[in-house]
Amino acid sequence: MTYRRAAIPALVGGLLLTALLWWAGASAQALHLPGTTGVIGSQAAADLERWLTPWSYDPPASVQVGADVSGGIGDTAEADSTRYLALYATALQIRFFAVFAVFVPVALLLVRRLPPVHGRTTAALLAVWAWGLVAGTLAVTVSAPWLIASHGRGSYRFLPQLASTISSGRQVLVATALVAAAGTVLTARVTAKGAGPLPQAVVPARAARLAATAGTATIALSLLVLSYQPVAAALQTVSSDGGLFAEPGELLRQWLLLGAWAGPGGAPLGGWLLHRAGDVLLLAIVWWALRRLPGLLTRATVPTMAIGAVCATVLGLLASQLLRVTLDGADLRWGLPSLFAGIGDGVPAALTCGLVAGVAAAITLRVAVGRAETTAATASVQVAAKP
């Protein structure tokens, strides 16, 4: 598919994702209407407000604290409050612009290399959905410094505050990114008509398996080694000498670890193994996706393999989190939204580890395919040389 044909669905998806996030943020005030807590419950209303607030232009009450930090009174306090409110508005403007700016180029690449035709529609939908989550997370990351400054305490524990801000608003992204992905794929199917043949790469099965194994091993390093609680605790407690960038442990943990686990301890072995099923499911999804990906792409380049590995890791995380929601679904004491509070966790780590896994898979694939071609060429020469 040409860039011109792929650009239209990418732009449609980016606009749809941005508009949906803006609409979700604007809907946060509806939770304060009379009778809302009586309909959905106070705990559910509080959870929904916490999910929607990171995308809302209506600043929380904590932003007003900026007026107290300066120690001024009267006009000085009012001016300081206005500055903090302006910082908050700037953070949201950067956030929404970054969502669009990050989503569109990669969606363009995905639609071009993974066009939703000839049995690739589901794969394209899942890949664009996963990238929507990544785009939203990166947008929150880019705008986080302005949001932290708007609360009037930008120099206090900046890196832990940054880690906390990055992890916000992810539940809304899961739903909005899915709708945006559906719009992108439907538009891509329309623009793909008349585009001519869209070939699929022919990849030897053994080379694809080796590439998938190499990529999955990278994900397993984060999931099984770095996420083991003693190792994770060592990362969590990493600290520098001081200053603005002291206490980077929470941020490192968020960008390096795909989960957290410990041994059975005093818990029953069966229950422990049941909860580890989510980790097994994640690795299985990553391996299967990386095994199929080279054959689905029109061209298996390093960038597309890297982005594909990121999307596969995000999808594996979502599947493992939904499995844990199913296992914990019997306990509804805190309401249905509380069960889904962990949905969307680990996307920064999925981005980091997925990029490394994709590059490792692409290099392994290239080497394995090169060896297979050399072996085939040598065998054909030997056959031709026989009398």
Side-chain angles (χ1 to χ4, degrees):
M1 185 182 292
T2 62
Y3 280 109
R4 181 177 61 85
R5 290 179 180 272
I8 297 174
L11 289 171
V12 169
L15 290 172
L16 188 56
L17 178 61
T18 306
L20 286 172
L21 288 172
W22 179 86
W23 172 78
S27 302
Q29 289 300 313
L31 297 172
H32 297 284
L33 294 175
T36 301
T37 56
V39 174
I40 64 175
S42 58
Q43 182 63 42
D47 289 337
L48 291 174
E49 183 179 8
R50 188 172 65 254
W51 296 356
L52 296 175
T53 297
W55 304 100
S56 175
Y57 266 95
D58 296 316
S62 58
V63 174
Q64 304 293 340
V65 77
D68 300 330
V69 175
S70 64
I73 58 174
D75 294 339
T76 303
E78 183 177 353
D80 289 336
S81 179
T82 302
R83 292 191 188 98
Y84 285 103
L85 290 174
L87 277 173
Y88 184 86
T90 301
L92 267 293
Q93 291 167 5
I94 294 172
R95 182 164 297 184
F96 284 110
F97 175 79
V99 167
F100 181 83
V102 174
F103 177 84
V104 170
V106 177
L108 173 64
L109 178 65
L110 288 173
V111 171
R112 187 167 185 265
R113 295 299 184 194
L114 190 61
V117 293
H118 303 308
R120 292 181 281 199
T121 302
T122 302
L125 175 66
L126 294 175
V128 177
W129 178 29
W131 184 255
L133 270 72
V134 177
T137 302
L138 289 176
V140 172
T141 303
V142 170
S143 61
W146 285 268
L147 197 70
I148 293 171
S150 71
H151 289 77
R153 50 178 188 272
S155 60
Y156 172 71
R157 289 174 54 86
F158 176 74
L159 292 182
Q161 286 188 82
L162 183 62
S164 176
T165 303
I166 292 171
S167 63
S168 63
R170 61 188 184 277
Q171 297 89 352
V172 178
L173 279 168
V174 176
T176 55
L178 179 58
V179 178
T184 303
V185 169
L186 289 175
T187 308
R189 287 183 66 87
V190 174
T191 59
K193 292 181 179 179
L198 299 171
Q200 292 183 225
V202 179
V203 180
R206 184 173 182 274
R209 287 194 296 268
L210 286 174
T213 303
T216 306
T218 303
I219 303 299
L221 175 66
S222 172
L223 185 65
L224 302 178
V225 179
L226 298 180
S227 296
Y228 183 50
Q229 281 189 1
V231 181
L235 289 173
Q236 180 89 37
T237 54
V238 168
S239 180
S240 58
D241 295 334
L244 184 64
F245 298 105
E247 302 179 79
E250 293 180 36
L251 194 61
L252 284 174
R253 179 188 179 100
Q254 189 170 87
W255 286 90
L256 295 177
L257 309 188
L258 289 170
W261 67 280
L269 181 61
W272 181 82
L273 290 175
L274 192 61
H275 277 78
R276 297 280 68 75
D279 300 334
V280 176
L281 178 62
L282 191 159
L283 293 176
I285 289 175
V286 169
W287 188 91
W288 180 81
L290 292 179
R291 165 66 180 82
R292 293 291 309 279
L293 186 62
L296 292 173
L297 296 170
T298 57
R299 185 183 175 191
T301 61
V302 174
T304 51
M305 287 292 293
I307 296 298
V310 171
C311 296
T313 309
V314 172
L315 292 172
L317 275 175
L318 290 176
S320 65
Q321 290 160 4
L322 288 174
L323 177 62
R324 291 192 175 95
V325 167
T326 303
L327 296 176
D328 298 337
D331 189 2
L332 292 174
R333 288 176 299 174
W334 303 109
L336 189 62
S338 64
L339 286 177
F340 292 92
I343 295 295
D345 277 346
V347 173
L351 174 62
T352 305
C353 301
L355 288 174
V356 178
V359 172
I363 293 174
T364 304
L365 180 67
R366 185 168 296 181
V367 172
V369 170
R371 287 181 178 177
E373 291 176 348
T374 302
T375 302
T378 303
S380 63
V381 169
Q382 291 175 349
V383 170
K386 288 182 179 180

